[in-house]
């Protein structure tokens, strides 16, 4: 798409905070000639079927729809609140607005059980995982895995940034039982722990944009949790085919326009741990030479928006 066709472009950046990421996206959109870039909190958006032809309430856009939407964040809330926020994104897609990433893809990525199922269905190497509401069944999984010498990571099903993770099973030569699941919504999502191959340990974050791996970094930490939010150190990493291929396939399996794919080294090659559909990239930007926000915006405008406009003119 030529830059000249974007002077009237109006874009909504969905985020519950107007921080570093939103500023970078705004700058990149304005650099491409966008006329209006507005940060919207999905908590402030809603449905009013009699107020406009489309039935949505989008502050700052009146009775019109944005030309495109970038989802930077979906704030936590009650089940009902989050459902309403995703309803707004679903409706925008149904109304023909390019949404980057779409609600369906975000739902797949935030649900770790669904991610595990889709990775397995696509034949992508990933640690074995179990999900159950039954504490006795979950404890049997922990006992069976511990007997085989394995530890398991207990994770919140919808968690992020390495928060709420616990090791259970065979941990440092002793047995650690499953704790109460009350803090986990009465649900156990368990993923087999992959021991580090070096000291300190590390994993990789690979950013996939428009179906192609664009950048990679190592997240290094003496702690077994390697999230940057938990203090891991970011290091530049070569984007090898062994990293790019599974990351691209993982993003495709979940239907994501862009994704932060976390991979862990194993003696048999990298395995995909998690796929993030609302991925932060501040740490990655520090060790990446190109402007990530600009690459995301270029992919949205040149691929997704161009395809949407092509369908309208066909």
């Amino acid at each position: 798409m030529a830059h000249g066709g974007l002077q009237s472009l109006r874009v909504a950046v969905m985020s519950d905070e107007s921080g570093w990421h939103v500023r970078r996206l705004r700058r990149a959109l304005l650099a491409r000639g966008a006329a209006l870039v507005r940060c919207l909190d999905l908590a402030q958006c809603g449905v009013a079927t009699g107020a406009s032809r489309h039935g949505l309430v989008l502050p700052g856009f009146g009775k019109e729809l944005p030309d495109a939407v970038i989802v930077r964040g979906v704030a936590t809330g009650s089940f009902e609140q989050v459902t309403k926020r995703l309803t707004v994104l679903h409706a925008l897609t149904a109304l023909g607005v390019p949404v980057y990433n779409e609600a369906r893809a975000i739902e797949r990525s935030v649900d770790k059980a669904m991610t595990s199922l889709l990775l397995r269905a696509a034949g992508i190497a990933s640690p074995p995982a179990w999900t159950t509401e039954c504490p006795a069944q979950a404890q049997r999984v922990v006992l069976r895995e511990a007997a085989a010498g394995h530890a398991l990571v207990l994770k919140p099903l919808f968690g992020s940034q390495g928060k709420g993770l616990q090791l259970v099973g065979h941990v440092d030569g002793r047995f650690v039982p499953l704790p109460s699941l009350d803090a986990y919504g009465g649900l156990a999502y368990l993923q087999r722990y992959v021991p580090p191959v070096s000291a300190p340990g590390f994993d990789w974050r690979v950013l996939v944009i428009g179906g192609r791996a664009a950048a990679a970094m190592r997240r290094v930490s003496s702690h077994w949790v390697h999230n940057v939010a938990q203090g891991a150190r970011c290091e530049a990493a070569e984007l090898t085919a062994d990293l790019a291929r599974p990351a691209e396939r993982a993003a495709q399996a979940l239907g994501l326009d862009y994704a932060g794919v976390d991979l862990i080294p194993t003696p048999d090659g990298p395995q995909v741990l998690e796929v993030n559909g609302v991925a932060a990239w501040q740490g990655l930007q520090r060790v990446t030479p190109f402007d990530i926000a600009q690459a995301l915006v270029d992919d949205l405008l040149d691929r997704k928006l161009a395809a949407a406009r092509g369908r309208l003119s066909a």
Side-chain angles (χ1 to χ4, degrees):
M1 181 184 297
H3 289 214
L6 300 176
Q7 282 87 350
S8 62
L9 187 71
R10 291 148 47 97
V11 181
V13 179
M14 299 296 192
S15 177
D16 58 326
E17 57 181 19
S18 55
W20 182 89
H21 290 87
V22 171
R23 291 195 299 271
R24 299 288 290 225
L25 289 169
R26 184 190 301 274
R27 185 176 71 182
L29 285 159
L30 294 175
R32 285 295 306 267
L36 174 69
V37 181
R38 187 173 291 278
C39 178
L40 297 185
D41 186 345
L42 279 166
Q44 304 305 316
C45 300
V47 174
T49 57
S52 65
R53 60 179 176 80
H54 51 72
L56 291 175
V57 177
L58 304 171
F61 286 91
K63 294 186 177 182
E64 300 302 314
L65 291 171
D67 297 296
V69 171
I70 300 176
V71 183
R72 174 54 231 139
V74 180
T76 58
S78 69
F79 180 77
E80 291 81 4
Q81 288 172 324
V82 173
T83 297
K84 186 273 295 181
R85 294 164 194 170
L86 292 170
T87 291
V88 172
L89 298 180
H90 279 296
L92 286 164
T93 297
L95 290 163
V97 178
V99 178
Y100 193 93
N101 284 305
E102 295 181 3
R104 185 168 302 231
I106 292 172
E107 288 167 351
R108 294 181 185 124
S109 66
V110 298
D111 179 347
K112 292 182 176 63
M114 178 58 75
T115 297
S116 294
L117 283 169
L118 291 172
L119 292 175
R120 179 173 177 80
I124 300 166
S126 182
W130 297 261
T131 310
T132 178
E133 295 180 45
C134 175
Q137 188 177 47
Q139 191 68 274
R140 285 196 293 272
V141 171
V142 173
L143 288 167
R144 186 173 65 245
E145 286 288 295
H150 300 304
L152 294 167
V153 184
L154 174 64
K155 301 182 180 183
L157 189 71
F158 302 128
S160 63
Q161 298 185 325
K163 297 176 182 176
L165 275 57
Q166 291 191 53
L167 282 178
V168 297
H170 186 78
V171 181
D172 295 330
R174 62 188 181 91
F175 178 72
V176 177
L178 189 75
S180 167
L181 298 179
D182 290 347
Y184 295 84
L187 184 80
Y189 172 84
L190 297 158
Q191 187 180 54
R192 185 178 291 168
Y193 173 65
V194 179
V197 298
S198 63
F202 71 92
D203 66 7
W204 292 281
R205 162 63 63 89
V206 177
L207 182 66
V208 179
I209 303 175
R212 300 192 64 177
M217 69 174 174
R218 293 200 330 162
R219 304 185 301 183
V220 184
S221 176
S222 56
H223 193 272
W224 63 272
V225 178
H226 298 134
N227 295 74
V228 175
Q230 301 300 320
R233 182 177 75 252
C234 302
E235 295 181 352
E238 180 185 359
L239 185 55
T240 64
D242 285 345
L243 293 177
R245 276 197 301 265
E248 291 169 355
R249 292 179 62 209
Q252 181 182 30
L254 274 66
L256 292 160
D257 293 308
Y258 77 99
V261 183
D262 299 337
L263 301 102
I264 192 81
T266 79
D268 299 318
Q271 292 190 9
V272 176
L273 280 179
E274 293 188 6
V275 184
N276 301 275
V278 192
W281 67 88
Q282 191 168 8
L284 181 59
Q285 185 65 82
R286 291 198 293 266
V287 297
T288 300
F290 67 90
D291 188 331
I292 293 173
Q294 194 67 61
L296 293 166
V297 165
D298 289 346
D299 182 54
L300 165 65
L301 301 184
D302 297 335
R303 180 182 61 83
K304 191 147 187 170
L305 179 61
R309 289 183 169 178
R311 286 192 295 272
L312 285 174
S313 62

